Amino acid sequence: MWGWRAVSVAVLCIALNGAWPALAAEPVGQAVVIKTQVTGQSGSIEVDTRVHRNERIKTSQSGLGQFVFRDGTKLAVGWGSSVVIDKYVFDDSQSVKKLTIRAAKGTFRWVSGNSNSSAYQILTPAGTIGVRGTAFDFYVGPDGTTAVVLLNGAASFCGPGGCRQLQQRCDCVVAKPNGDMSAARRVDPSILATLGNQRALPFLSGNQRLAGGIGMLGGCNMASAAPERKDRTRPPPAVAPAPQRQDPPQRQAEPQKERPNKPDKPHHDKPHHDKPDRPDKHDGHGRHDDDGKPGNHGLDHRGHERHHDRDHDNDRNRDRGHNFNRGR
């Protein structure tokens, strides 16, 4: 009698033990985008790989995974992240009664699906994100510090220090596990310094790009923290050098116009030097004549005068002789 009962209990236990893995392995969504390395409970996750309830999803330091759940909810898991699909309770084929994920670390983007907002819950080390038909990014640091940035709809964040409401696009809250929590305010690039990680919120900064409509929700001027901020500082140097590069040719052109004028001054001075030099040139002929060089006009002229004087003296002597003879 007891033997049959023991066998029956053993068979029931085997049946139940076999049923638990089947229930745990029930798929709740699938991967639609995988970059670099993303792993699950069964190893590497590829595109179209199914994900299951209670499954932990991890990404490498350059990894990225985008997932779609059965009710249409979208979850992007950025680099260096770890998240567990904690609860997934079906309502019907188009919605769920409960969808809870537990984010241990990393960066994420959430877009609600077709289920009631009250069905969604996101747990972080610093508190709980309440979803109200919403799209938002959130980051969980190594020390549990959590930041939430609202992109659409509304959300709340509740922790040991109370609750904060995010009601306007780009509202941001930063909370710590010890209860410290900032007021909701518009996000800006300084949040990266607050979080102590320039790689935080990469979907907003543009350091990681998402595919499909989920990637069109970013912005909030956070791109200036990476590409746009550099572009804003670069344009002034890029635009300013343009006229500066044109200035040197213009400045060089001006002295080039003056250079022809510089030799003109000595050129105009030559006539002034030539005028006083003319008597010297004439004296030079005399000096050259002394050297006996050909064409010595000074020497010829003096020789001609001497020859003329000798002729004149001869004529005078002849006249004297002629008068003397006549007197005799």
Side-chain angles (χ1 to χ4, degrees), residues 85-220:
I85 305 171
D86 194 33
K87 295 180 181 178
Y88 198 102
V89 180
F90 290 101
D91 186 5
D92 54 41
S93 60
Q94 299 297 324
S95 62
V96 295
K97 290 183 178 180
K98 196 69 174 178
L99 172 55
T100 302
I101 67 171
R102 188 180 299 273
K105 65 175 182 176
T107 185
F108 310 87
R109 174 165 292 181
W110 170 279
V111 179
S112 298
N114 301 321
S115 303
N116 292 329
S117 298
S118 59
Y120 303 119
Q121 194 175 47
I122 299 167
L123 306 178
T124 75
T128 302
I129 304 173
V131 182
R132 300 177 184 175
T134 310
F136 53 84
D137 280 15
F138 63 102
Y139 167 79
V140 179
D143 62 349
T145 299
T146 301
V148 184
V149 180
L150 182 67
L151 301 177
N152 189 22
S156 64
F157 189 91
C158 295
C163 293
R164 297 288 187 271
Q165 303 299 320
L166 296 91
Q167 298 177 338
Q168 296 183 2
R169 174 176 166 79
C170 300
D171 275 356
C172 174
V173 168
V174 178
K176 293 182 178 295
N178 63 6
D180 291 342
M181 187 183 307
S182 70
R185 65 178 182 86
R186 185 176 179 83
V187 70
D188 60 55
S190 67
I191 190 176
L192 300 182
T194 301
L195 297 174
N197 185 0
Q198 294 296 317
R199 286 166 57 92
L201 302 172
F203 306 142
L204 291 178
S205 66
N207 289 330
Q208 275 194 312
R209 299 190 179 277
L210 301 175
I214 191 174
M216 303 300 292
L217 298 171
C220 297

Side-chain angles (χ1 to χ4, degrees), residues 31-326:
V32 293
V33 174
I34 297 295
K35 295 181 180 179
T36 311
Q37 185 177 7
V38 182
T39 59
Q41 65 184 16
S42 300
S44 296
I45 296 177
E46 306 295 339
V47 174
D48 295 332
T49 297
R50 292 181 177 182
V51 293
H52 306 83
R53 181 164 56 90
N54 294 328
E55 182 173 10
R56 180 178 294 275
I57 299 171
K58 294 182 178 181
T59 59
S60 66
Q61 291 302 314
S62 59
L64 171 65
Q66 290 182 221
F67 303 89
V68 176
F69 295 100
R70 289 176 60 174
D71 73 329
T73 296
K74 298 179 179 64
L75 176 67
V77 184
W79 49 35
S81 301
S82 176
V83 62
V84 176
I85 305 171
D86 194 33
K87 295 180 181 178
Y88 198 102
V89 180
F90 290 101
D91 186 5
D92 54 41
S93 60
Q94 299 297 324
S95 62
V96 295
K97 290 183 178 180
K98 196 69 174 178
L99 172 55
T100 302
I101 67 171
R102 188 180 299 273
K105 65 175 182 176
T107 185
F108 310 87
R109 174 165 292 181
W110 170 279
V111 179
S112 298
N114 301 321
S115 303
N116 292 329
S117 298
S118 59
Y120 303 119
Q121 194 175 47
I122 299 167
L123 306 178
T124 75
T128 302
I129 304 173
V131 182
R132 300 177 184 175
T134 310
F136 53 84
D137 280 15
F138 63 102
Y139 167 79
V140 179
D143 62 349
T145 299
T146 301
V148 184
V149 180
L150 182 67
L151 301 177
N152 189 22
S156 64
F157 189 91
C158 295
C163 293
R164 297 288 187 271
Q165 303 299 320
L166 296 91
Q167 298 177 338
Q168 296 183 2
R169 174 176 166 79
C170 300
D171 275 356
C172 174
V173 168
V174 178
K176 293 182 178 295
N178 63 6
D180 291 342
M181 187 183 307
S182 70
R185 65 178 182 86
R186 185 176 179 83
V187 70
D188 60 55
S190 67
I191 190 176
L192 300 182
T194 301
L195 297 174
N197 185 0
Q198 294 296 317
R199 286 166 57 92
L201 302 172
F203 306 142
L204 291 178
S205 66
N207 289 330
Q208 275 194 312
R209 299 190 179 277
L210 301 175
I214 191 174
M216 303 300 292
L217 298 171
C220 297
N221 295 324
M222 281 295 293
S224 61
E228 288 187 7
R229 172 183 253 177
K230 295 178 181 178
D231 293 342
R232 287 178 184 176
T233 55
R234 286 177 185 169
V239 173
Q244 290 177 0
R245 292 173 185 171
Q246 294 177 358
D247 287 347
Q250 293 177 356
R251 291 174 184 171
Q252 291 176 359
E254 292 176 359
Q256 286 177 357
K257 293 180 181 178
E258 294 177 2
R259 285 174 186 171
N261 295 334
K262 291 181 180 179
D264 289 343
K265 292 181 180 179
H267 177 71
H268 290 299
D269 292 343
K270 287 181 180 180
H272 296 291
H273 292 293
D274 292 340
K275 289 180 182 179
D277 289 344
R278 285 177 184 174
D280 296 338
K281 291 180 180 180
H282 181 71
D283 294 341
H285 286 294
R287 288 192 298 270
H288 294 167
D289 293 344
D290 294 340
D291 295 336
K293 292 182 180 180
N296 192 327
H297 298 290
L299 180 60
D300 293 343
H301 182 69
R302 288 194 298 267
H304 179 71
E305 289 177 353
R306 294 190 191 103
H307 180 73
H308 178 71
D309 291 340
R310 286 194 300 267
D311 292 342
H312 183 67
D313 292 338
N314 292 333
D315 291 341
R316 291 170 62 184
N317 291 333
R318 282 195 300 268
D319 291 341
R320 287 175 184 174
H322 178 70
N323 293 332
F324 176 79
N325 292 327
R326 289 177 61 183

